[in-house]
Each structure stands twice: as structure tokens, then as C-alpha cells.
Amino acid sequence: MTAANLSSTESIDLIATAAAGTEAVVKRELAALGYPVRTVAHGRLLFQGDMNAICRTNLWLRAGERILIQMAAFPVTDFGVLFDATAAAPWERWLPRDAEFPVKGRSHHSQLSSVPACQKIVKRAIVDRLLKAHNTGSLPETGPKGAVEISIRDDVATLTLDTTGVGLHKRGYRRLVGEAQLRETLAAVLIQLSYWRPSRVLVDPFCGTGTIPIEAALIGRNIAPGLRRNFAFEDWPTFDRHLLKQARDEAQSAISPPLEERIIGYDINPEVLSLARYHAEQAGVADDIHWQERPFSELRAKAEYGCIITNPPYGERLGVDAEIEQLYRTFPLVLRRLPTWSHYILSSRPDLEALVGQTADRRRKLYNGPLECTYYQFHGPRPPRASQSGNQEENFPNENTERIENKAETEVDAEPETEPVRLPPLGGEGRGGGSEPTEPAAEKPQRKMPTPAFGGLQTSATRQAEEFANRLRNRARHFRRWPTKRGITCYRLYERDVPDVPLIVDRYENALHIAEFARPHDRSTAQHADWLDLMARTAGKVLEVPRELVFMKHRDRQRGDDQYQRVDDREARLTVQEAGLKFVVNLSDYIDTGLFLDHRLTRQMVRESAAGKRFLNLFAYTGSFSVYAAAGGAASTTTVDKSATYVDWTRENLELNGFNDPPHELVRADIRDFIKSLRPSDVWDLAVVDPPTFSNTKGAEVDWDVQLDHGELLRRLAPHIAPSGIVFFSTNFRRFKLDEPALTDYQIRDITGKTIPEDFRNDRIHKCWKLTRS
């Protein structure tokens, strides 16, 4: 048969190529178009179709990479067989006399392992065939292009002719290039492997140049991805262009109206958002997507049963690895705000599940360019359905019905998890209908409360909250009049009284400061955050404190200056009272508030000892001891801390109580450097030394370790304490042992028992000594 009389309905062996891991999606797309796949192997899906199939598959495949005509397939172990079989293929049916036909090649586990040699043999065989078929003495190769490939695997050769030209991932809308852009075909795969439907909200919080939202909009509106581009076969004179026009017209008429639920794309980079908007306009879906400059931490949505589909930075291409790890650790805390949503995350990081604190319901290996990635799928609850009576039925279990805690990677030839989002129009005999697929009937619910993808409360949480509430009520009743009698407005109400609720609750005026101490539990990161929210709500309700005035902090084992590092920037500052004095506390921005409540009695001892004395406050923090000393009639105060923030805070506390410079000196310095710089005449009568357990502040020559360094520091301080002068030394390091042999210049008295306030159940909250200069 010659090119001129090639039938438009003749059956042709065709191959759709697919990236590794996406074969099942492409197979489903071909089946939806009416072309069942015969075989799937190594990213190649063999099916049969006619000339119309070439048009329709190039137009409609979203996940496929190319459509190839299989010219021949045969066993081969020598070059003679390769030449003869190639020359026997009907190349003239497709390639005119002037066709350009470059030959590419590949060989795997085969005797013919030299790819260049195979390419030369195939090229020569095609030339011989075309010269004879076109009855010519030359082939100029100046005409339309038809790329040929010889692929040999396990001694079986396959000859193909490319109908696509530029890969199908080139939709025609992305004309500007951004950094680390996601391939369009991969984006379409991510969407089709999700449970998203056009009736649901879809958000990509790391949208970059917009590939995922744009591909979702194309799917949602049933827009053929190849509608805005050209293909190699269009230029072949052997091809009936009327078929392509007819296929384009059908695709154009199949486009759905604009989406009712606009797709949302967020990113922090305004430049890439500008590219995204431009790409959406070029794709014809500008009105279907809402773009916004917004950080991931601010992700919120009122809609229910939506989907997050995203490709966050991995660390390989963008960002610094430590920053990326910290970003991933915030995922469960942010995504738990969307308890009915499902979340789909593509990442090359194998530690993603460890970073987010839970295993994915499903995982699938995919490739983003050369990077091996995993598509992590966290399934939320299935949307409720309307019953026959029209009432909303109870929520069904999660979308995957039976939650798979640690499912292995999906095999490449396995079926995808869901039906296609939309089906392209089907035309012609034997190609089925074009109706949209329906979801399978839901199974009978297995539990009353659906499980969120991230977060949720365990059944034990209710009991724990009740026990916590009962204990808070009892403590609040016990301390009902106690604070007023002592002139204080900040005190401890609860300290890990219930073993399953390891929290500390302090009251500051009409606000609550709750600190959580790290302790092993079986909750995921997001579940634990929900548990903490429950406990905060419980405390606020019992103690009649609005939720916005309940501040929750997480306290790990102290490392360096962690307790002094800023953790927020809300500036929830409050003036509290203690023994007739005023202090500024910050309930939101640091692990500690600026006033150590356990030193309330020690501060009073300083006040009672300060009259007429020269007072020194080392490691001063916010200067509360200095305020007490000034209130006790100290002749002068010297307050030393290495932090400019805390020196300024001390100044504010002094001024709040009417104590201004002089005689109240504030010094910003490292404590050891300060002591080394003292002159013999620098002497004090009363001092407080309350150092941190450990400090490795940037800029300091050596670290501070209270156990190792306290003896030397107190020994160096001794010459600057007047005879019979007093040093109050305190630490909260539980395993601390005072180095008495190093302190021969002092008379030592342990006064810990007299310095623990009665609102503190923990008599090991600190240790305190009264050191009197001999």
C-alpha cells in the first residue's frame, strides 16, 4: 500500500511513552479514549488505533510523553537481521522523499550493544527502502521531520516513528521559564492520582510558576492539553489534515464552562506568581485560578473536603537544607487546620514522613526530571453524600476506606488509585460513551468520626481533659483568696498534677501561660498539636479566661540559650504585680515570660537584706532582683546581663517602679568578662547569681556550664564582696552539686527549702544557697 492510498481506518500499532511510575495513569487515559492497551513494558504502552487515534491521543493525553508508530518489532542478534528487518518496514507510507529522519537508539542487555553502530545500520536500511520506494537517486532531508528510534532490549528490537515532535509535556502555554519548574505531564499525573474533583477546592501552597493549578484547571474544564500546539505528523503529506481539524473541533466543543470552585495557587515569590498568571492566560484558564502571595504558614480555608496538591522545595534545587527541614516540620501543624482535606505532596526527600511525624496512606515512586521522588498521599475523610431522602448522610471513613499505614510503592503497571477526573469526548464506533465517571458506592461506615489526614484526637483525650479540668478547679478553689492576701497577681496553678497531662499552668493577671514539657507519647505531631489545643481550651473554660489570652509554649530540654530565644512576635506584654511592685511580662514571644515565679520568696529575702547595701545582680535576666533590692532601700544597684534585650527590659522594670539612673547602673557584658574587668575597689555588700544551666552564645570565647564553671566564677567574685556580705546563688539544674571546696571564702548555707513558694508542688524547681563572705 502506498502513502497515497493509506486508509484512515486501517489499524496501526501505536506506542504511548510514559515516564517511570506513570504508566498506569497513561493506560487509564488511553482506555478512556477507547484504546485498550495490549502490553505495558518499560514506559511503553502498546495499543492499536487508526489515523484518527494518532490525532486524538496526541491531543488528549495528559500524562503521556509521546505517540509513536511501531514500524516493526523482531528478535535480533546480528546486524544483518537488523538491516533486513528495517528495510522490510513500510517507511514510505509515512515519510516522503524529502523527509528528515534522524535516527536515535538505545540498547539494554542485548548482543547488539553498540548504539552508534545500530543507528548507522537502521539509517542505511531506511535510505535503501526510501530510494527504491520513491524511485529517486537522492534523499535531501529538507522536508518534514519524522524521528526514528531503534530500541533493543533483551535482544528484541523495536523500530518506531515519532508522530509527536516536541514532547507532549510542551502544552504551548508555558513560554517563559522559571526556576525548578515542574513538568506539565508530571503535574497532570499528580492531579489524576489524587481524589480531587472540580467540585472540590484545590490549593497548591507552593505553586511556583503555576503548573499544578493550570493543569488542574485544564482537567477541570475538560480542555485537551494539546489543543494549543502543533505536532510532527501535521507536516507529513501522507497524513489527512482533515482528521486533525475534526479532532480539534471536537475537543473545542467539549470544553466545559468556567469552574465554580476556583483553584488556588499560593507562593511567597511575587516574580514567579507573575509568571503563573501569564501562563494561566496563555492556557485559557486565567479566570479559573486565584493567585496570591502568601506564605505556607498562613494557609487556611473555610471550605471542606478540599485537596492540597503540591511540589514543595526539596533542598536539592532551591533553599538551604536546614531551612527546608524546618519547613517540612511545620507541615502537620499547618495542614491540621484542614481536618476534612486530603493532602498530596511530591518530594525527593526520603525523610518526609519522619519530618511530618506520621506515615503516608500511600506512596508512589515518580521522577521529577532526574530526581527520584515519592508522591506522599495523606487521605482525609470522604465527603458526605446525600441520602435518597435528601438528608446528608454521616461522614464515611477516609477516602482510601481502610487506612494503609505503610503501603509499599505501587507497581508501575498497577491501576491508579482513582478514576479519571474527566473523560475526553469519545467519537466513532466501538469507543464507548463520554460520560463522566461516578465514584464507587461507599462502604458502610466503620467508625462514627472520620479520621483527618493530619491531626484529630484519640479517645483518651476526653478523659485526660476531664481529669485536667477537675484538678484545675480544685487548685483554683484552693487559691481563691491566697493571691490577694499576698499582693500578687501571678502564680502557679498546676504542675504536671495529672501524669497524662504534663503541663505547667501559671496565671498572670487575667491570662494563662501554659508550658508543655517534652514527654514520650503515641500521638503524631499534628494529633499532639490538636491535643494541646484541647488542653488550652479546657484550661481557659475552667478558669474563665478567653482563648486568646491562653498562651501555650513547648519546653524541650534546655540547649544553650534556647530559653531566651524569640519564638513568636505577637508582643503580648502585660504589667503584673508582686508584693506591691510592678513587672512587665511577655506571654507570647519567649519560652519564659520575664518573671521567674519560683524566685518570689528569694526576691523578698533580697528586699529584706538590701537597706543601705550596694547590690550586684549577675545573669540578671529582666532585673526583677534589682527592682526588689531598690525597693528594699539599696544604696545602689548594678545589673549585668549579656543581652541587650534584657538590659532594656530591666531598665523598663526599674522605671516602672520609679527607680531611675543613678544610682542604678545597667551593664551589658559577659559575666566572666565583667568580673575579670573589676578593679579592687569595686565591692558590693549583697549579690544575686542566678546563671543558666548552659550557654553557648554566639561571640562568646567559651561556653558556660553551671556545673563546671560556677566554682571558678564565685571564687573570682569573692574579693569583690565586702566582709560579711551575702551572695544568693541559685540554679535550676537538678543534678547540680555545689563545689564547696572551691568556695573557702564563704560560709555556705543551703536555703532551698525556704525559697520554694507554696504554690509550687515541685520542691526541686530550683536550688538556692546563701553564701556569706568570711
Side-chain angles (χ1 to χ4, degrees), residues 497-725:
D497 300 38
V498 178
D500 287 343
V501 187
L503 304 176
I504 289 178
V505 181
D506 294 327
R507 182 149 199 161
Y508 289 83
E509 298 281 340
N510 294 320
L512 296 180
H513 183 267
I514 304 179
E516 180 220 1
F517 280 76
R519 177 178 170 179
H521 55 74
D522 60 354
R523 295 180 289 270
S524 69
T525 302
Q527 288 175 330
H528 188 59
D530 283 348
W531 182 87
L532 289 175
D533 283 349
L534 173 63
M535 298 306 156
R537 291 195 304 271
T538 299
K541 182 177 181 180
V542 169
L543 301 174
E544 299 180 348
V545 175
R547 181 62 182 88
E548 62 270 18
L549 294 180
V550 179
F551 300 88
M552 178 71 73
K553 306 284 181 60
H554 179 81
R555 186 186 293 273
D556 286 311
R557 184 179 298 275
Q558 184 182 332
R559 297 177 179 87
D561 286 334
D562 285 354
Q563 74 181 100
Y564 304 112
Q565 300 303 310
R566 183 178 286 270
V567 296
D568 205 338
D569 56 4
R570 285 183 287 170
E571 290 285 336
R573 289 161 56 86
L574 183 70
T575 299
V576 299
Q577 297 186 46
E578 185 180 272
L581 300 173
K582 299 177 181 179
F583 299 93
V584 173
V585 296
N586 187 323
L587 301 180
S588 60
D589 297 350
Y590 303 91
I591 295 297
D592 291 308
T593 64
L595 186 65
F596 292 131
L597 302 185
D598 61 302
H599 276 314
R600 187 187 307 123
L601 299 182
T602 314
R603 286 191 285 268
Q604 185 60 30
M605 290 180 180
V606 169
R607 185 178 194 171
E608 293 170 355
S609 305
K613 303 290 179 62
R614 297 163 293 180
F615 174 71
L616 174 65
N617 187 0
L618 300 181
F619 303 99
Y621 192 34
T622 60
S624 58
F625 278 110
S626 299
V627 173
Y628 264 82
S636 66
T637 66
T638 301
T639 306
V640 187
D641 199 278
K642 62 188 174 186
S643 167
T645 298
Y646 295 124
V647 169
D648 291 340
W649 201 332
T650 297
R651 180 179 292 106
E652 185 176 7
N653 280 333
L654 286 167
E655 293 176 352
L656 187 64
N657 290 277
F659 306 122
N660 301 308
D661 298 338
H664 305 292
E665 182 184 11
L666 302 178
V667 180
R668 181 191 174 194
D670 176 82
I671 304 305
R672 285 175 290 195
D673 292 342
F674 172 78
I675 293 177
K676 290 178 183 178
S677 69
L678 294 177
R679 299 165 298 183
S681 58
D682 294 324
V683 177
W684 290 270
D685 308 297
L686 180 64
V688 169
V689 181
D690 183 26
T693 299
F694 183 81
S695 175
N696 57 354
T697 306
K698 183 178 180 181
E701 292 184 3
V702 292
D703 295 339
W704 165 266
D705 184 311
V706 68
Q707 184 61 71
L708 299 177
D709 300 325
H710 77 279
E712 176 68 12
L713 183 136
L714 292 172
R715 186 183 64 78
R716 286 180 176 273
L717 177 63
H720 303 284
I721 300 298
S724 300

Side-chain angles (χ1 to χ4, degrees), residues 324-401:
I324 299 302
E325 282 192 13
Q326 184 57 37
L327 171 67
Y328 278 46
R329 292 184 191 280
T330 67
F331 280 14
L333 304 180
V334 174
L335 298 181
R336 73 186 180 96
R337 302 170 188 162
L338 308 171
T340 62
W341 287 45
S342 294
H343 311 279
Y344 304 86
I345 304 168
L346 180 72
S347 178
S348 67
R349 297 192 67 103
D351 60 349
L352 181 140
E353 290 170 309
L355 293 174
V356 304
Q358 67 187 72
T359 57
D361 295 301
R362 289 182 179 176
R363 297 186 298 277
R364 193 184 191 96
K365 184 188 294 183
L366 297 170
Y367 286 86
N368 185 3
L371 291 176
E372 180 180 313
C373 297
T374 301
Y375 193 34
Y376 297 95
Q377 304 173 46
F378 301 90
H379 297 148
R382 185 186 295 276
R385 293 180 175 223
S387 64
Q388 293 181 353
S389 62
N391 297 324
Q392 290 293 314
E393 293 182 354
E394 194 173 309
N395 283 338
F396 284 88
N398 284 38
E399 307 236 40
N400 55 327
T401 305

Side-chain angles (χ1 to χ4, degrees), residues 148-384:
V148 176
E149 182 185 68
I150 170 64
S151 174
I152 307 176
R153 181 179 288 271
D154 299 323
D155 293 324
V156 175
T158 303
L159 287 166
T160 58
L161 181 64
D162 182 14
T163 72
T164 301
V166 178
L168 289 176
H169 69 282
K170 295 288 188 179
R171 316 295 206 204
Y173 64 76
R174 198 159 74 179
R175 301 177 183 178
L176 302 177
V177 178
E179 188 175 1
Q181 291 185 138
L182 190 68
R183 200 176 181 94
E184 293 89 334
T185 45
L186 179 55
V189 167
L190 302 185
I191 296 160
Q192 294 186 79
L193 288 175
S194 77
Y195 286 112
W196 179 73
R197 296 290 183 274
S199 59
R200 294 194 186 186
V201 175
L202 187 154
V203 177
D204 180 359
F206 301 97
C207 70
T209 57
T211 310
I212 290 176
I214 292 172
E215 288 295 319
L218 293 175
I219 291 173
R221 292 194 57 194
N222 206 34
I223 298 175
L227 198 55
R228 295 170 179 265
R229 57 157 290 169
N230 296 318
F231 306 99
F233 69 85
E234 294 184 56
D235 297 326
W236 299 351
T238 56
F239 195 84
D240 185 355
R241 295 192 179 186
H242 175 73
L243 293 176
L244 181 59
K245 182 181 184 305
Q246 182 180 349
R248 288 188 188 277
D249 290 343
E250 290 177 356
Q252 191 68 44
S253 64
I255 297 176
S256 301
L259 299 176
E260 294 183 6
E261 290 285 354
R262 295 176 75 192
I263 295 164
I264 300 171
Y266 294 143
D267 206 279
I268 59 174
N269 187 338
E271 294 182 3
V272 299
L273 285 175
S274 178
L275 292 178
R277 292 186 179 94
Y278 175 75
H279 293 155
E281 291 174 1
Q282 297 301 306
V285 293
D287 294 335
D288 299 295
I289 308 172
H290 171 70
W291 308 102
Q292 187 174 352
E293 183 180 344
R294 176 182 288 190
F296 176 70
S297 61
E298 296 181 8
L299 175 63
R300 286 179 173 82
K302 294 181 180 179
E304 294 187 320
Y305 303 103
C307 289
I308 297 288
I309 304 178
T310 192
N311 174 44
Y314 309 155
E316 283 89 349
R317 292 186 181 181
L318 298 173
V320 179
D321 192 64
E323 295 177 0
I324 299 302
E325 282 192 13
Q326 184 57 37
L327 171 67
Y328 278 46
R329 292 184 191 280
T330 67
F331 280 14
L333 304 180
V334 174
L335 298 181
R336 73 186 180 96
R337 302 170 188 162
L338 308 171
T340 62
W341 287 45
S342 294
H343 311 279
Y344 304 86
I345 304 168
L346 180 72
S347 178
S348 67
R349 297 192 67 103
D351 60 349
L352 181 140
E353 290 170 309
L355 293 174
V356 304
Q358 67 187 72
T359 57
D361 295 301
R362 289 182 179 176
R363 297 186 298 277
R364 193 184 191 96
K365 184 188 294 183
L366 297 170
Y367 286 86
N368 185 3
L371 291 176
E372 180 180 313
C373 297
T374 301
Y375 193 34
Y376 297 95
Q377 304 173 46
F378 301 90
H379 297 148
R382 185 186 295 276

Side-chain angles (χ1 to χ4, degrees), residues 2-44:
T2 65
N5 60 10
L6 183 63
S7 171
S8 63
T9 60
E10 180 185 353
S11 180
I12 308 167
D13 285 339
L14 299 171
I15 292 175
T17 65
T22 69
E23 295 93 339
V25 180
V26 178
K27 180 180 178 181
R28 189 182 64 186
E29 289 185 329
L30 288 168
L33 285 166
Y35 309 113
V37 173
R38 291 163 54 188
T39 61
V40 179
H42 310 295
R44 296 189 166 210

